[in-house]
Amino acid sequence: MKPLKTFLYAQQHLTASIALGIANGNIKGILSSETREKVKASAAAVEKIVAKGQPVYGINTGFGPLCTTLISPDQTRKLQKNLLKSHAVGVGEPIPVEISKLMLILKLHALAKGFSGIQEQTLDRILWHIEQDIIPVVPKQGSVGASGDLAPLSHLFLPLIGLGKVHVGGKIRSAAEVLQEHHLSSIHLGPKEGLGLINGTQFIAAFGVKVLERFYNILAHADITGAMMLEGLLGSTKPFSAELHQLRPYTGNQHVAQTILNLLHESEIVHSHATCARVQDPYSLRCMPQVHGASRNAWLHLKHMLETEINSVTDNPVVFDETHTISGGNFHGQPIAMPLDYACLAASEIGNISDRRIYLSLEGDTPGVPKLLLKETGLNSGFMIPQYTTAALASENKGLCFPSSADSIPTSLGQEDHVSMGSIGARKALQVIENVEKILGVELFCAAQAVDFHAPLKSGKIMTALYEHVRTKIKHVTEDQIMYEDMETAIEIIRSGELLNLAREVAEKERLELETLWSGDFDKF
C-alpha cells in the first residue's frame, strides 16, 4: 500500500497516523471545492439566523449562564471576538509545538465538515498556519474538558484576530508581528465563529494522538526488552505456546505470546536449558502475554475511540441549516477522557512489570548470571542502583494513575455542572508513557548485560541483531562506572523506535516471521 500523499479535510477518514503525517509535513491536507461549498453554505445559514433575530445559543446570545441574554445583530461579530479574548485564560508552560499543530489539524478537519458556521477565509487562515509552520502558543493548564477545551482553543486561535503568540523557527513571537511580516490582516470573525473555534475536544484529542503513537512504541519495545530479559534469565518459552492462549483468546495476549516466540525463534540460549529442572518462572517473565496483552487491548480500545472522536463534530451549537440548529453536548470530553485514563493505567502496568524483571535480574538466581549483574561485587555495587531509578519511576506512575475522569467540578455558574477533566487525563497519560520509556531503557541496559554472561551462545537472528545493535552503543559493564549516560542512551534507543525497525528489517531480509495474525490490529493507527 502506497503512503498517502494528500488528505482531503472533512471528506476522508482521519486517523492518528494521518494527523501525525500532516503535522510532520509528509502529507498535505487539502480543502476541496466540495468541502468549501458546504462551509460557505453553513456560514450563510448563520447569517440568515442573525438577520431573523430569533435567539440561537452562541450566535446571538451570550454564553454559558448568559445564554438568555440576546445580542443585537450589529454586535454579534464583536461578541465572537470578545469570546476568544475572555476565554484565553490558560496558565503554565506551553504544550509541545507538535501538539499545538495537531490541534489545528484536528480542528480544521472538524470545522470543514460544514456544521459550524465557519467562514471559508477562517479555514484558509488555519490552513496557512499549518502549512507555514507558524503554530500558536497554547498553555498546558486551564481546561476542564467539558464545554470543549475552551481555554486552550482560545489561545490556539488568538492569532486569527491578531493577538497571542506563535512558535516560529524555534522562537516564540508576537502573532501580530508575524502576521504583519507576511502582509496579513487579522480575521473579522463572523457570528458563531468564536464559539465554533473554541468549543471542541481538540486539546484532549491532540494529546490522545501522541499518547496513541508513543504508547504503541512502548508496547512494541516492552515485548523486545521482555524477550531479551527472558533469555538473559534463562526463562521458559512454554508459557507463550499458542495452544495455551487459544484457551483465553484475547487479541493482545495472543499477539504478545506469538511476538515473543517469533523474536526468540531458534535461540541457542533458549534451547540450552530446554531440559532444566525449573518448573516455572516468576510472573514478570511467565505472564508477559497476559500483562503486556491487557495493555495492548487498552491501546486498541483507545485507538477505536480516538478515531471516532477526531472524525466528529464537537462544537456547539451544531448548524444543520438556517431552520435547524441544536444546542447539545458534543463538546463534552467524557467519551475520550475515560479511554485515556484506561490507557494511562495500562501504560503504567508496562512500567510496573518491567521494573519487576529488572529486579529479578539482580537476584543472582540464574545459572551463570551473577548477583547484581557483575562478577565482582562488594567493592562494586553493580546494577543495584539503576533499579532504584525504575522503582521511583514506577511509583511515580502509580500516583498519576488516579483517573482524572472520576473527578468533576461545577463551572460557569452551574451551567456546566459536570466536566470530564479529559485534558488533565490526556496530559497525565503522556507523562506516564514518558516514564515508562525510561524504565524500558533501563531494562534494555540490564537485559543486554544478563545476555552477555551466556556467551558464546547466541539468540536467533532477530534478537541477535537487536542485541548487537545495543552493544554498538552501550558496552558491557565490568566494574562500577558512571551509568546514567548509558541509561540515557538506552532510553533513547527505546524512544527512537530503532529496535522495532531493525527487527522488521532482519525479519524481511532473513524471511523470518515477526508479524502475527493480529499485527494488523496493532500496527495501524
Side-chain angles (χ1 to χ4, degrees):
M1 186 176 178
K2 292 182 179 179
L4 196 64
K5 296 295 183 183
T6 60
F7 175 78
L8 297 175
Y9 285 112
Q11 287 183 265
Q12 291 182 292
H13 186 75
L14 185 63
T15 64
S17 61
I18 292 172
L20 289 162
I22 297 171
N24 62 34
N26 292 330
I27 299 173
K28 182 177 178 62
I30 296 170
L31 290 168
S32 71
S33 57
E34 181 183 346
T35 293
R36 289 177 180 277
E37 289 304 314
K38 288 182 178 179
V39 167
K40 286 188 279 189
S42 181
V46 170
E47 293 289 356
K48 290 176 183 177
I49 291 169
V50 173
K52 288 180 180 179
Q54 295 178 346
V56 176
Y57 174 72
I59 295 177
N60 53 12
T61 75
F63 308 109
L66 302 175
C67 60
T68 58
T69 303
L70 193 64
I71 307 298
S72 62
D74 61 324
Q75 293 293 311
T76 53
R77 290 179 180 272
K78 185 176 182 180
L79 173 71
Q80 301 301 319
K81 186 174 182 179
N82 284 350
L83 183 66
L84 259 66
K85 292 193 291 186
S86 66
H87 285 54
V89 293
V91 295
E93 295 296 316
I95 63 174
V97 180
E98 184 185 17
I99 295 181
S100 292
K101 192 171 185 179
L102 285 168
M103 288 177 69
L104 290 174
I105 292 163
L106 301 185
K107 194 65 181 181
L108 180 57
H109 183 60
L111 294 176
K113 291 180 180 290
F115 295 96
S116 303
I118 297 294
Q119 299 176 104
E120 184 181 12
Q121 65 169 330
T122 304
L123 293 190
D124 281 330
R125 180 60 60 83
I126 296 172
L127 188 60
W128 177 83
H129 276 280
I130 295 168
E131 292 182 340
Q132 297 298 314
D133 216 24
I134 297 173
I135 309 302
V137 174
V138 178
K140 69 179 183 180
Q141 294 169 302
S143 172
V144 294
S147 189
D149 293 308
L150 292 175
L153 286 167
S154 296
H155 284 277
L156 188 74
F157 293 120
L158 280 178
L160 296 183
I161 59 173
L163 302 174
K165 298 179 180 180
V166 290
H167 298 276
V168 185
K171 297 180 180 179
I172 293 178
R173 298 183 56 198
S174 160
E177 290 179 3
V178 174
L179 290 176
Q180 188 175 16
E181 286 177 6
H182 287 81
H183 308 292
L184 294 172
S185 58
S186 59
I187 298 290
H188 295 287
L189 297 178
K192 167 69 169 68
E193 280 204 283
L195 195 58
L197 290 167
I198 72 171
N199 257 180
T201 58
Q202 284 74 34
F203 180 90
I204 302 172
F207 268 92
V209 167
K210 287 303 294 183
V211 166
L212 198 70
E213 178 193 34
R214 293 177 70 174
F215 191 6
Y216 169 83
N217 186 60
I218 63 170
L219 287 167
H221 285 82
D223 293 345
I224 291 171
T225 60
M228 189 178 291
M229 190 65 88
L230 186 81
E231 284 194 303
L233 302 185
L234 300 182
S236 173
T237 57
K238 287 183 180 178
F240 306 96
S241 301
E243 62 268 29
L244 175 65
H245 295 283
Q246 287 168 1
L247 299 178
R248 198 188 190 197
Y250 289 110
T251 301
N253 300 31
Q254 293 181 96
H255 175 71
V256 170
Q258 189 58 55
T259 295
I260 291 176
L261 288 179
N262 289 344
L263 288 169
L264 299 179
H265 179 63
E266 294 185 342
S267 166
E268 294 177 359
I269 300 173
V270 169
H271 292 163
S272 71
H273 59 93
T275 59
C276 70
R278 184 187 291 181
V279 177
Q280 59 184 18
D281 297 318
Y283 289 177
S284 60
L285 297 178
R286 189 181 3 142
C287 298
M288 280 191 277
Q290 290 79 9
V291 179
H292 293 196
S295 293
R296 280 190 176 269
N297 293 332
W299 180 92
L300 200 58
H301 179 62
L302 177 63
K303 181 183 79 165
H304 292 154
M305 299 298 283
L306 185 64
E307 276 196 28
T308 298
E309 189 71 14
I310 65 178
N311 288 285
S312 299
V313 176
T314 58
D315 64 299
N316 182 59
V318 173
V319 180
F320 292 93
D321 57 47
E322 64 183 281
T323 64
H324 188 197
T325 64
I326 297 178
S327 180
N330 275 8
F331 50 68
H332 201 294
Q334 196 80 353
I336 195 67
M338 294 179 74
L340 280 164
D341 282 336
Y342 179 22
C344 180
L345 174 62
S348 178
E349 281 303 291
I350 293 296
N352 280 342
I353 195 170
S354 176
D355 169 69
R356 293 298 82 211
R357 290 193 294 264
I358 294 166
Y359 186 93
L360 195 64
S361 72
L362 307 180
E363 290 186 324
D365 293 336
T366 302
V369 179
K371 185 178 291 188
L372 301 177
L373 296 174
L374 215 62
K375 286 185 176 179
E376 297 181 8
T377 53
L379 178 62
N380 296 302
S381 297
F383 283 69
M384 182 195 306
I385 307 303
Q387 191 270 324
Y388 279 45
T389 300
T390 62
L393 291 165
S395 185
E396 180 179 321
N397 281 351
K398 292 171 190 176
L400 292 168
C401 277
F402 181 85
S404 297
S405 59
D407 185 27
S408 180
I409 188 167
T411 59
S412 195
L413 301 184
Q415 180 75 7
E416 297 159 12
D417 56 354
H418 180 279
V419 300
S420 76
M421 299 299 182
S423 55
I424 298 169
R427 289 192 291 108
K428 201 153 54 70
L430 198 55
Q431 185 178 349
V432 165
I433 289 167
E434 289 172 355
N435 286 341
V436 175
E437 289 169 344
K438 296 169 185 174
I439 295 171
L440 291 175
V442 177
E443 182 179 13
L444 182 66
F445 184 35
C446 293
Q449 183 80 3
V451 168
D452 287 341
F453 294 108
H454 301 301
L457 296 176
K458 289 188 174 184
S459 184
K461 291 180 179 178
I462 296 176
M463 284 301 292
T464 295
L466 301 185
Y467 161 80
E468 290 177 348
H469 179 73
V470 172
R471 279 289 171 249
T472 63
K473 298 186 175 187
I474 302 170
K475 303 304 179 186
H476 178 79
V477 177
T478 58
E479 61 182 1
D480 280 355
Q481 62 181 53
I482 298 291
M483 285 190 170
Y484 76 86
E485 292 174 344
D486 285 341
M487 288 163 58
E488 287 292 342
T489 300
I491 291 164
E492 184 52 37
I493 290 173
I494 297 295
R495 193 179 288 130
S496 69
E498 59 199 69
L499 291 183
L500 180 60
N501 293 332
L502 177 59
R504 287 170 172 162
E505 289 172 11
V506 174
E508 183 177 358
K509 179 182 177 182
E510 301 292 340
R511 297 182 179 181
L512 296 169
E513 290 291 338
L514 183 59
E515 291 194 353
T516 74
L517 292 173
W518 307 273
S519 290
D521 291 321
F522 297 108
D523 287 345
K524 295 176 183 177
F525 62 91

